[in-house]
Amino acid sequence: DTLWDLAIAEMEKRENPDDDNVKPGEVWEKSILFMGNKNGGKTTIILRCLEREESPKPTLALEYAFGRRARRHNTPKDVAHFWELGGGTSLVELIRIPITSRNIRSFAVVLVLDLSKPHELWTTMESLLQVTRNHVNKILTKLEKTNPEVVAEIKRRMWNNLQRDHPDYALVDPFPIPLVIIGSKYDIFQEFDSEMRKIISKTLRFVSHYYGASLVFTSKSEALLLKARALINHLAFGYDKSKSVSVDPSKPLFIPAGLDSMSQIGPPPASDSDLGKMRANTPLELWKKVFEKTFPPKSFCDLQDTKDPAQDSQYAEYEVDVMRAQKNQELEQYKRNASKSWKEMDFDSD
């Protein structure tokens, strides 16, 4: 190869850092699932990534959008599939629809946590990540029987952000697919007491580092949205991964995966005596206990979406709604008639 050939090959490798199998001229496809707190800002972030100037609407269940980008002039555009899970934690089982064995190699998750609701934070995060991880692991277990090379490649990628000589290599448990954690509504969060901000920031730093995830705080501010967009574009289109880091708790956090450490994060924010009283089997469990001591969680039932999706005005369809109203009336009439007939029946007491 000439020097020019080597330079071209190196540029193509940099432009596709996560997929060595994409050849020049081929289109690559990535899929990203956005999930998190209800009304946490997921739709706003997606619209900003897709450069769409429209007002966000509430997400009913599972919604889909896509974006296209060209790596260079006169090349086919790559495609990113964006899935958004609505309803907070109430519809988490729907993740089975977008995450399949066919796209698991090119799938990533963006978890959007509402910083203005710290009492919901851990429960939401734990519920969504546990169900997603269990589903992905089931896919990998089945896939290993038919295509062990693909599974080995996915597991290798899990550790890509952490070098073997990293001091925390034996202390973390990377998520099976790429993960970005976004703390939204930073504009409200920054008005919190400094001690509260410190606890939330340190906890999310630990969780992100433990799962091998990137972490970014954002709001409706254009500058902060651009930082979140940079991480998402890396997942969706293979854009260069940012190397900048911001860990100052008085400022919005921005920490790409693998650029933090347990020593920099420090111990859980609790006194030695309190830590000594807490029984935990894993570091993650210990941080959970410390966090929930300051921010007692809402019950899982409180996080469920109780609104009837059929009554959502944004999905109104005149013909369907008229027929539904008619069927509801018929059902009520049937109930009344059935009730009368049962009352008029003569039952033999013998």
Side-chain angles (χ1 to χ4, degrees), residues 246-316:
S246 175
V247 297
D248 186 342
S250 66
K251 298 178 181 178
L253 296 182
F254 182 82
I255 312 171
L259 299 184
D260 211 343
S261 68
M262 298 294 189
S263 60
Q264 293 179 47
I265 297 168
S271 65
D272 291 340
S273 59
D274 284 342
L275 289 175
K277 296 174 186 175
M278 294 178 181
R279 294 184 177 181
N281 296 319
T282 65
L284 188 67
E285 191 177 336
L286 179 61
W287 277 83
K288 175 183 178 179
K289 289 180 180 295
V290 171
F291 184 82
E292 292 187 342
K293 188 174 187 297
T294 304
F295 302 105
K298 286 191 175 183
S299 68
F300 187 76
C301 292
D302 292 338
L303 300 179
Q304 297 295 303
D305 187 3
T306 56
K307 183 181 177 182
D308 182 2
Q311 305 303 320
D312 196 309
S313 59
Q314 69 173 314
Y315 298 103

Side-chain angles (χ1 to χ4, degrees), residues 95-279:
I95 65 166
R96 299 174 182 178
I97 296 173
I99 308 178
T100 67
S101 58
R102 279 182 285 184
N103 64 14
I104 193 68
R105 290 178 64 190
S106 58
F107 213 98
V109 170
V110 174
L111 177 64
V112 181
L113 298 173
D114 189 337
L115 296 174
S116 71
K117 299 176 181 177
H119 294 277
E120 297 180 13
L121 193 149
W122 194 283
T123 306
T124 299
M125 174 182 67
E126 184 176 58
S127 174
L128 292 172
L129 291 185
Q130 278 185 354
V131 173
T132 304
R133 185 167 207 159
N134 290 341
H135 176 61
V136 170
N137 285 339
K138 284 180 182 178
I139 290 176
L140 295 181
T141 299
K142 289 182 180 179
L143 197 58
E144 197 160 25
K145 297 175 182 177
T146 58
N147 205 334
E149 296 83 6
V150 169
V151 176
E153 178 194 347
I154 292 172
K155 290 182 177 179
R156 174 181 58 79
R157 288 182 181 179
M158 287 168 55
W159 294 94
N160 274 358
N161 293 317
L162 210 63
Q163 301 300 321
R164 285 192 174 273
D165 58 354
H166 194 289
D168 302 333
Y169 193 83
L171 302 175
V172 298
D173 186 17
F175 207 67
I177 54 180
L179 173 65
V180 169
I181 297 178
I182 297 179
S184 65
K185 301 187 181 179
Y186 178 79
D187 50 332
I188 301 175
F189 171 78
Q190 65 181 344
E191 302 298 326
F192 286 4
D193 172 80
S194 62
E195 192 60 30
M196 291 174 62
R197 294 200 311 269
K198 179 181 177 183
I199 293 171
I200 296 170
S201 296
K202 285 192 69 173
T203 300
L204 287 180
R205 281 183 65 185
F206 169 80
V207 170
S208 299
H209 185 56
Y210 183 80
Y211 283 129
S214 298
L215 174 65
V216 59
F217 284 1
T218 190
S219 68
K220 292 182 179 179
S221 157
E222 186 65 20
L224 294 184
L225 279 172
L226 282 173
K227 287 195 170 186
R229 184 184 172 192
L231 290 176
I232 294 168
N233 277 338
H234 171 68
L235 296 178
F237 302 109
Y239 288 9
D240 286 343
K241 185 178 177 182
S242 175
K243 297 295 184 182
S244 65
V245 177
S246 175
V247 297
D248 186 342
S250 66
K251 298 178 181 178
L253 296 182
F254 182 82
I255 312 171
L259 299 184
D260 211 343
S261 68
M262 298 294 189
S263 60
Q264 293 179 47
I265 297 168
S271 65
D272 291 340
S273 59
D274 284 342
L275 289 175
K277 296 174 186 175
M278 294 178 181
R279 294 184 177 181

